[in-house]
Amino acid sequence: MGAAIDIRHASVRYGAEAVLKDCSLSLRAGEFFALLGASGCGKTTLLRVIAGLCPLDGGTLSFDGAPAERTLQHRPRIGLAFQDQRLFPALSVRDNLEVAIRGLVPEEEHSGRQAEAFLEKMGILELADKKPGELSGGQQKRASLARALAVRPDILLLDEPFSGLHHELRRELRRYLREFQREIGCTTVLVSHDREDAEAIADRIGLMRDGSVETGESDRTEEN
Ligand SMILES: Nc1ncnc2c1ncn2[C@@H]1O[C@H](COP(=O)(O)OP(=O)(O)O)[C@@H](O)[C@H]1O
Ligand SMILES: [Mg+2]
């Protein structure tokens, strides 16, 4: 089940450089949101904030209306496909998925061939026993995407998941991802710098600029 995400007046700085500045964004549970923006504008930082990997210097993050730091017991399950994959190099592709599944999915939800099923969907089942280093960049990208989906997340964060993939495969993966997202109902943020990807797949698109997200909708920020 998807979780609503609410970010209010978030700021993040690296040293003297402010990357997120008074950044607010609200996503409905189950919404598919695409985030566009120039390189270096803070898209990855925003995903890291949602994933709990980057602390806020100011502002708040809540899931389903509860502050993220107070939702340890009911923390949404997050699937994250990193921009640079971050597969465990010493583990096989299959075990990269298994580690994520065992770490995040309660045992009663485990099904025998979960890892294989997702590798098959990504068209890389025959690579299951290989190490990430033996895969091409595009194959690693797909393994990383499979790992993010295989945990059947409440929140799915995808950081440029299609970059470097050729057109045909891109279209196929887009279609599959949309199907998966509808079936699972996970709240999804897709970071891209390709407007075509964003428009083909998302319910709503935002543009990151000057450290905050513009959604083009009227700013009816309820201040309470
Ligand atoms: N860990 C870090 N330490 C210092 N600066 C960082 C770090 N991560 C990102 N930055 C800087 O923050 C800015 C935004 O980075 P990032 O969120 O990766 O942007 P994007 O994903 O939109 O390309 C960039 O100027 C980048 O160099
Ligand atoms: Mg990035």
Side-chain angles (χ1 to χ4, degrees):
M1 261 300 287
I5 304 171
D6 196 26
I7 298 165
R8 297 222 183 158
H9 309 297
S11 67
V12 168
R13 50 179 73 248
Y14 295 117
E17 186 195 9
V19 176
L20 299 189
K21 291 177 238 169
D22 195 19
C23 174
S24 295
L25 177 66
S26 291
L27 303 182
R28 295 183 303 279
E31 183 175 12
F32 199 132
F33 185 77
L35 184 62
L36 294 165
S39 180
C41 73
K43 304 181 296 299
T44 294
T45 300
L46 185 63
L47 287 195
R48 286 167 45 79
V49 163
I50 297 172
L53 299 171
C54 177
L56 288 176
D57 293 308
T60 57
L61 165 70
S62 359
F63 298 124
D64 287 332
E69 64 275 15
R70 281 196 243 137
T71 54
L72 272 180
Q73 298 296 322
H74 308 282
R75 204 173 164 72
R77 196 186 302 165
I78 295 181
L80 170 55
F82 292 92
Q83 187 169 7
D84 52 359
Q85 288 83 258
R86 305 218 187 166
L87 298 161
F88 296 112
L91 300 181
S92 69
V93 169
R94 174 192 286 105
D95 285 349
N96 265 276
L97 271 66
E98 287 292 349
V99 161
I101 293 167
R102 286 182 211 171
L104 291 177
V105 182
E107 202 151 333
E108 60 272 20
E109 282 182 45
H110 288 196
S111 68
R113 293 187 71 262
Q114 206 160 327
E116 279 84 357
F118 282 94
L119 292 175
E120 186 163 26
K121 288 287 188 195
M122 295 293 134
I124 51 169
L125 182 56
E126 73 282 5
L127 303 174
D129 295 314
K130 301 237 187 251
K131 300 278 166 62
E134 300 174 85
L135 272 54
S136 72
Q139 289 164 340
Q140 287 185 22
K141 217 70 200 162
R142 286 186 274 164
S144 151
L145 188 53
R147 181 174 63 176
L149 303 181
V151 303
R152 302 173 73 85
D154 304 309
I155 295 176
L156 178 62
L157 306 173
L158 305 172
D159 202 348
E160 314 246 6
F162 308 130
S163 67
L165 301 179
H166 66 78
H167 194 67
E168 204 55 35
L169 181 58
R170 230 178 152 100
R171 278 182 32 184
E172 203 178 296
L173 289 181
R174 259 183 355 214
R175 202 173 321 119
Y176 168 65
L177 184 60
R178 187 70 233 211
E179 234 171 67
F180 169 88
Q181 194 268 343
R182 289 219 170 96
E183 185 198 324
I184 302 283
C186 48
T187 311
T188 302
V189 183
L190 170 95
V191 164
S192 176
H193 54 239
D194 185 323
R195 183 165 280 276
E196 188 197 323
D197 275 344
E199 284 173 351
I201 201 167
D203 299 322
R204 196 155 64 103
I205 297 179
L207 179 67
M208 188 143 200
R209 190 153 56 188
D210 294 332
S212 69
V213 179
E214 300 165 2
T215 56
E217 290 143 24
S218 57
D219 273 329
R220 286 164 296 139
T221 39
E222 298 111 278
E223 287 300 328
N224 53 39

